[in-house]
Amino acid sequence: MLFRKGSNPKSRYVPLRTKFIVLFFLLITIPFLIIGTISYRKYTAGVERSTVELSNQVVNQININLERYIKELDRLTLTPLYDEDMMQILRKHRGAGPAGTYLSTDETLKMNLFISSLAFDRGEIESILVFTNDGGIFSNLDQSVRKRWDVSMADWMEPVEREDGGLTILPPHTAAYYTEGKQGMISAARVIREPYTNAKLGIVKVDLTPRGFGSIVSTLRSGGSGLLQITDKNQAVLYSEADKLPDLQESYITASAESSYTGLKVTSMIPRTQLREDARELTSSTLIVSIVALAAAYAAAILLSNRLIKPIAHLQSKMRQVKRGLFLERATVTTSDEIGQLTEGFNTMIGEIDRLVKEVYETRLKEREAELLALQSQIHPHFLYNTLEMVNMLALQGNTRELSGVVTSLGKLLRYTVGHREQMVYVLDEVRFVEAYLRIQGMRLGDKLQAVIHIDSSFDYCVVPKLILQPLIENVIEHAMGQEPLHLVLTASVDEEDLVLSVKDDGLGISGTRLQELEQQLYGSHSRPAAVDADQRGFGRVEKGLALRNVHQRLRLLYGEPYGLTLDNTAERGVTVSLRLPMNWEAMNDAGPAGGRQEEEE
């Protein structure tokens, strides 16, 4: 445990970073928990309120449709009063007792034809039946309905007769007059009376299929949530979506509407647990996002604490670098207070020392030569491993011709990069090196890589820095390769008095943000070529993201400010990377690239 000198040993030392983290925790986490709790409650209340409003609208509309449907049944059961043939048949059978139970064929034909016309194209109607006083039954279903009825089948007639000619909606009951008795039948019935004498002539009854009430409900369901129930004026359930409901006051949100015309009541019941489950799902999703945001906030808090408490440590580390002779080191100015002013003074002092050292010892020139030699002699171990693995596979498969091509191309690469130490080469030599590299990559990638080189032979003996094209090709293969085949085009052109070498691809492309980052790395005022590490070398690249920068810095070191590398992502797909360098036709001696070509030709 650490204690400050001269302080009370009982007071525990708390680092400033810990204080900042605790402060951020109190400022971020506690408000988040409070806001989350309030939001959950308000969301739940709002959902319940919206659900009640929507349920009221649905229930009212169902009630209107149900009332309209009952009116249609009312008109349907009144139709026999307006057909004289039907009334004559009913008058003939108005006497009670078995004497008149005989139904003639002519009567049955006329009645069935009339009833069938009423039930035509009404899929929700199971059957329309007319019960005569003397025990006869007329129906549009000849095979499944009995021809006579008796008291044992007429327990439903009592409420119909009490209505004295009015329409009666019968709750689910047993229809025993079918040859196969049917349970839970919902019906509309009324007594048929003589218009002038008011004498009872019979009963007309419309049996509905389960689709009857269900079709009215299904057309207006909202999202399938909640349960619906339809009851008559005696509280008998005509239609219900649940066999047994829990306590409505505690478990359900209810909305109801009652028809003054039919006496039917429509009730909608939405489970509160379901609404809260939706709220919990939303809360869970929000919680996941919020946890990620909190993690990011805590990470930002740690970074901010580092920026607040470590500027002096940063300045101290830069001073140690300068002590070792690295005069290009600069401290980052993060504040505008006294520490920031001290950092600016340190940077100014080191800049002046660096200028004086350069003027006296000319170390900058030697550093350029060392950097150029390092950048042009890099061989990527992973590329060699992959190539040797491919050689091993071809050898095992017995593909001697392809094996010979890979070995030959690899030999050319090694001879070009290791065997010759010259810094300047002909365009022809550089293109041959790229062709050998593409042959190896083409055998490894197959149809996924399609490369074309369009460089006129008039550029063959133009002098360029060694190893400036291959890093661009490798950068495309590393970063632009997607699921689709990659097309790559290498071209050369003249712009005023400069040579422009371009590598264009139709790969994944590059976003505007990433392009700005790359341009900052390429053209930043303090950017320098990255140091070359022995196990991170590649054909023209140090590591991912540095290949383009190294090529650009080499051209700047050799030719100065106007020359270097440019990026263009304005095409529909892919990126175009261009190199601008001065046109140079200087002749090379035999020890240079010409000698290298002779070795390759041999």
Side-chain angles (χ1 to χ4, degrees), residues 261-313:
Y261 175 79
T262 64
L264 300 183
K265 183 178 181 180
V266 180
T267 304
S268 173
M269 295 157 284
I270 299 93
R272 295 181 184 273
T273 55
Q274 183 178 0
L275 298 179
R276 291 168 183 170
E277 181 179 357
D278 294 338
R280 284 193 294 269
E281 290 179 359
L282 178 62
T283 303
S284 299
S285 302
T286 306
L287 183 61
I288 294 174
V289 176
S290 301
I291 290 175
V292 175
L294 285 176
Y298 289 142
I302 294 175
L303 293 176
L304 182 60
S305 66
N306 290 336
R307 290 175 61 87
L308 291 175
I309 66 177
K310 288 192 173 181
I312 297 178

Side-chain angles (χ1 to χ4, degrees), residues 178 199 378 505:
Y178 288 93
Q378 298 164 11
D505 66 88

Side-chain angles (χ1 to χ4, degrees), residues 131-195:
F131 297 83
T132 64
N133 292 344
D134 58 358
I137 301 177
F138 295 99
S139 173
N140 60 320
L141 302 178
D142 293 333
Q143 304 299 325
S144 59
V145 176
R146 303 178 187 274
K147 300 301 180 182
R148 288 182 292 274
W149 63 273
D150 54 33
V151 178
S152 63
M153 305 176 188
D155 55 344
W156 51 269
M157 287 187 177
E158 182 180 355
V160 177
E161 293 175 348
R162 284 201 305 265
E163 289 297 325
D164 195 23
L167 183 68
T168 304
I169 304 299
L170 300 174
H173 61 281
T174 301
Y177 43 83
Y178 288 93
T179 55
E180 296 180 2
K182 295 186 178 182
Q183 305 289 331
M185 185 66 69
I186 301 176
S187 306
R190 74 177 335 124
V191 174
I192 301 176
R193 295 187 179 276
E194 182 69 45

Side-chain angles (χ1 to χ4, degrees), residues 320-341:
R320 286 195 295 266
Q321 297 292 333
V322 172
K323 186 177 180 180
R324 295 206 304 263
L326 301 177
F327 295 105
L328 292 179
E329 290 290 334
R330 295 294 184 272
T332 303
V333 180
T334 58
T335 61
S336 58
D337 53 11
E338 291 79 2
I339 297 178
Q341 295 176 5

Side-chain angles (χ1 to χ4, degrees), residues 364-375:
R364 181 59 177 164
L365 183 59
K366 295 181 181 179
E367 182 183 359
R368 288 181 180 178
E369 295 175 355
E371 289 174 352
L372 290 173
L373 290 174
L375 289 172

Side-chain angles (χ1 to χ4, degrees), residues 15 28 37 41 138 145 153 218 221-222 240 318 342 351 377 409 449 460 472 502 517 553 594:
I28 297 176
T37 303
R41 293 181 177 177
F138 295 99
V145 176
M153 305 176 188
S218 61
R221 295 309 307 274
S222 176
S240 178
K318 295 301 179 180
L342 181 63
S377 63
S409 298
L449 176 64
D460 285 352
L472 309 185
S502 300
E517 295 177 357
Q553 290 296 328

Side-chain angles (χ1 to χ4, degrees), residues 204 399 481 539 549 593:
V204 59
N399 296 331
M481 185 75 70
F539 285 107
R549 179 184 175 187

Side-chain angles (χ1 to χ4, degrees), residues 60 239 502 509 512:
N60 288 330
Y239 174 84
S502 300

